[in-house]
Amino acid sequence: MKPIQLFDPASSTYTYVLFDQATREALIIDPVDEQIERDLATLREYGLKLVWTVETHAHADHITSAGKLAELAGARTAAPVGCGIGTAGVQLQHGETLSFGGEVLKALHTPGHTEGSMSFVWRNHVFTGDTLLINGCGRTDFQSGSAQALFHSITQILFALPDDTTVWPGHDYQGRTHSTIGQEKTGNARVAGKSEAEFVAIMAALNLPKPRRIDEAVPANLTSGLRHDLDGALLMQPSPVQGGYAGDVSAPLAWQWVQAGEAVLVDVRTDAEREWVGFVPGAVPLAWKQWPGMALNPAFDEQICAAAAGDKKLVLMCRSGVRSIAAAKRATELGLEAYNILGGFEGDPDAQAQRGKLGGWRHLGLPWRQN
Ligand SMILES: N[C@@H](CCC(=O)N[C@@H](CS)C(=O)NCC(=O)O)C(=O)O
Ligand SMILES: [Fe+2]
């Protein structure tokens, strides 16, 4: 079985779609924002259900469509833990796997092009991102790149794979599509037969111009591509409100704050709702019930103050973003900095219609589980 290989001519980026033949569950590696219509059409054409979007690294030359694909196709987002992509629902560790149907993709930490870069193994294929290119390799002069680390990643990690493993690179600037580990071991001009010192000298002498879109692309990619357009910019800022609490935040921004240790997520749905629909890992469960006495409920007050642990922001989530406003107002009365998560866990159909997006926590690729 082979991956579907797709090409973005503007950035010479390869995107890969892998799928399980029996269940039609699919995974996409390094999707490009401008190609989202092509990618959705590809999924439709093959009859696939996208379950994962995966990044090899935070790209410097194009913007990912991961956040949009999560919303439009219902996929979950995964990215290497060392890349700082705070909005990705799964922060991949070395050796970790992702399943799609009966198929498994395994993450290998291959730093060098960037500190967090990963390659991914599926059957006898390896998706090398910009770690190993055909007869080349990614540059190492930005994003905590390191020629020493790259040499180690290529020669010790990737070259340890069987020689007949097919290499699918993140880019090719000369129209080549794939190679093998064996071919790169013997023929890659930068590494074959080279010492680490020779490799480091080659990389130091490259003097490549800065990628054209780096200043725009890297920040956008740190939020799964959600920051670069007007809507995305709005998604990644709290919107102030008049009504007695700190503001409204999108689920991706709330999640980024939680990942950064700045905020605590409080799930104000009931236990029964959580069990029925789904949990967010690490959220503090503290139900806000819609009855008049709730605003003077000492147990709620005590627990929400404890959740804030002194000075953390609180981000409050309910099913569709209504009860969480009442709860945020009460927390504000108690002197806490409390925000409402727009759309809640499920998404508010009216709000979605008005804003055109904001599908709620579980449609945005953020982490949740069934029980
Ligand atoms: N001209 C391209 C440069 C792209 C570039 O620098 N690509 C990186 C990967 S993000 C790389 O490692 N290129 C290796 C090379 O050009 O040899 C642009 O402006 O986007
Ligand atoms: Fe790159």
Side-chain angles (χ1 to χ4, degrees):
M1 261 181 77
K2 277 180 27 172
I4 301 168
Q5 185 181 45
L6 301 158
F7 187 64
D8 173 52
S11 63
S12 300
T13 299
Y14 282 123
T15 295
Y16 299 95
V17 175
L18 285 45
F19 65 93
D20 174 57
Q21 284 189 313
T23 61
R24 314 306 285 176
E25 286 192 354
L27 172 155
I28 195 163
I29 300 176
D30 289 339
V32 174
D33 188 60
E34 285 81 3
Q35 299 292 349
I36 191 162
E37 291 307 327
R38 174 202 69 188
D39 296 348
L40 291 169
T42 302
L43 294 168
R44 276 195 299 273
E45 180 189 332
Y46 284 81
L48 304 177
K49 160 89 184 108
L50 189 67
V51 295
W52 289 110
T53 71
V54 186
E55 303 294 330
T56 55
H57 60 295
H59 305 280
D61 58 340
H62 68 272
I63 293 173
T64 179
S65 65
K68 285 185 185 163
L69 281 175
E71 189 168 357
L72 295 173
R76 298 172 68 196
T77 52
V81 63
C83 287
I85 304 173
T87 43
V90 169
Q91 298 286 322
L92 291 164
Q93 307 269 356
H94 180 73
E96 206 172 324
T97 57
L98 296 174
S99 296
F100 48 111
E103 300 288 334
V104 175
L105 184 84
K106 183 175 177 186
L108 300 178
H109 183 210
T110 51
H113 171 57
T114 74
E115 168 62 36
S117 287
M118 283 186 158
S119 302
F120 297 101
V121 177
W122 171 62
R123 294 181 173 228
N124 63 339
H125 303 279
V126 62
F127 303 89
T128 53
D130 299 350
T131 301
L132 177 63
L133 304 178
I134 298 171
N135 195 24
C137 60
R139 61 198 287 178
T140 54
D141 56 339
F142 51 64
Q143 291 179 287
S144 310
S146 154
Q148 282 88 351
L150 188 59
F151 189 76
H152 180 270
S153 293
I154 294 173
T155 60
Q156 305 298 308
I157 300 178
L158 295 177
F159 285 178
L161 295 168
D163 280 355
D164 64 356
T165 308
T166 308
V167 171
W168 300 96
H171 297 285
D172 194 88
Y173 301 98
Q174 293 170 42
R176 295 160 298 191
T177 57
H178 60 284
S179 170
T180 65
I181 289 292
Q183 266 169 276
E184 295 309 316
K185 254 188 207 172
T186 53
N188 189 299
R190 290 197 185 156
V191 271
K194 297 283 193 292
S195 67
E196 179 178 318
E198 286 168 329
F199 178 76
V200 170
I202 293 171
M203 295 310 288
L206 287 182
N207 279 323
L208 295 167
K210 183 171 143 174
R212 200 170 40 83
R213 298 182 66 190
I214 187 168
D215 296 332
E216 167 204 18
V218 174
N221 286 324
L222 295 181
T223 57
S224 302
L226 292 173
R227 188 186 265 174
H228 68 294
D229 55 16
L230 185 59
D231 287 351
L234 293 173
L235 269 175
M236 299 314 291
Q237 283 167 19
S239 35
V241 289
Q242 301 294 322
Y245 59 104
D248 293 320
V249 291
S250 65
L253 179 59
W255 177 240
Q256 204 176 45
W257 285 354
V258 171
Q259 293 271 102
E262 289 171 37
V264 174
L265 176 62
V266 179
D267 185 339
V268 301
R269 295 173 302 161
T270 63
D271 291 346
E273 283 180 279
R274 273 188 284 278
E275 271 156 35
W276 184 248
V277 202
F279 294 78
V280 173
V284 176
L286 180 53
W288 178 271
K289 305 215 172 83
Q290 291 286 60
W291 64 42
M294 202 59 205
L296 293 168
N297 180 324
F300 179 88
D301 291 357
E302 196 179 305
Q303 286 177 55
I304 197 138
C305 289
D311 60 349
K312 288 206 181 174
K313 294 179 206 168
L314 295 173
V315 284
L316 276 62
M317 184 185 71
C318 64
R319 188 185 65 80
S320 68
V322 176
R323 272 169 295 168
S324 49
I325 291 180
K329 285 182 179 169
R330 178 62 192 155
T332 306
E333 286 170 5
L334 298 168
L336 306 172
E337 185 180 349
Y339 295 83
N340 161 54
I341 298 182
L342 286 166
F345 187 76
E346 286 284 9
D348 168 1
D350 294 337
Q352 279 176 56
Q354 276 167 27
R355 299 189 186 91
K357 35 172 90 182
L358 283 189
W361 188 279
R362 77 157 159 171
H363 304 294
L364 289 165
L366 301 170
W368 66 281
R369 58 191 162 73
Q370 208 77 54
N371 49 47

